[in-house]
Amino acid sequence: MKITSLTHLPPESVSHNREIQKKVMLKAGDLPHLTNFSQAKFAPGQVAAAHAHADMCEVFFVSQGSGLIRVNGTDYPIEMGTCIAIEPGDVHEVVNNSSRDLILTYFGLKIG
C-alpha cells in the first residue's frame, strides 16, 4: 500500500514543457504497468508540446478549467469532467487556450 497527498508532494517539471508543474502521486514501479499517476497545472497559454509514446497509453482527466487537446492533428475541446484516452503512437499536445488554470489528472500504462 502507498498513500500520497498532493499537499505534501513537491512540484516537478513536465517533460514536454519545463515551465508546467506537476505533482507525481505514483511513479513507475509503484504498480505493475503504471508509468505515473500525476496532476499537472497549466497556466493560461501553456502548451505541452506534441509528442507520442510507442510503448504506453495515457489517460487524462480535466479536474479544473478548459483548453484543448490536439490528437493526430485534430483539435478537441476539453473542459472540467472530460476524460481522454490516448493510444500508443497517437501524437498529442495539450494547450491551455483559456484565461484560467487548466488542471489535468493523468496516468500512463505500459504496453507489451
Side-chain angles (χ1 to χ4, degrees):
M1 180 181 83
K2 181 172 183 173
I3 297 175
T4 58
S5 170
L6 287 171
T7 57
H8 301 320
L9 294 172
E12 302 176 26
S13 293
V14 172
S15 59
H16 307 292
N17 180 335
R18 308 296 294 164
E19 294 179 7
I20 298 170
Q21 297 292 295
K22 68 178 176 180
K23 292 189 175 186
V24 179
M25 294 171 276
L26 296 172
K27 298 179 186 230
D30 286 342
L31 290 173
H33 311 289
L34 186 74
T35 64
N36 72 89
F37 180 60
S38 304
Q39 188 173 82
K41 179 179 173 182
F42 292 66
Q46 286 186 317
V47 177
H51 63 282
H53 309 280
D55 62 345
M56 67 179 272
C57 304
E58 280 186 298
V59 176
F60 297 94
F61 179 76
V62 181
S63 300
Q64 178 182 309
S66 63
L68 71 85
I69 188 164
R70 185 171 293 124
V71 181
N72 298 323
T74 301
D75 290 354
Y76 300 92
I78 56 175
E79 61 185 17
M80 193 168 107
T82 303
C83 180
I84 308 100
I86 302 295
E87 297 288 335
D90 282 349
V91 176
H92 54 287
E93 176 176 60
V94 177
V95 179
N96 183 353
N97 61 354
S98 76
S99 60
R100 305 182 105 190
D101 288 342
L102 169 64
I103 298 179
L104 295 180
T105 304
Y106 63 100
F107 63 92
L109 297 171
K110 283 275 192 198
I111 60 165

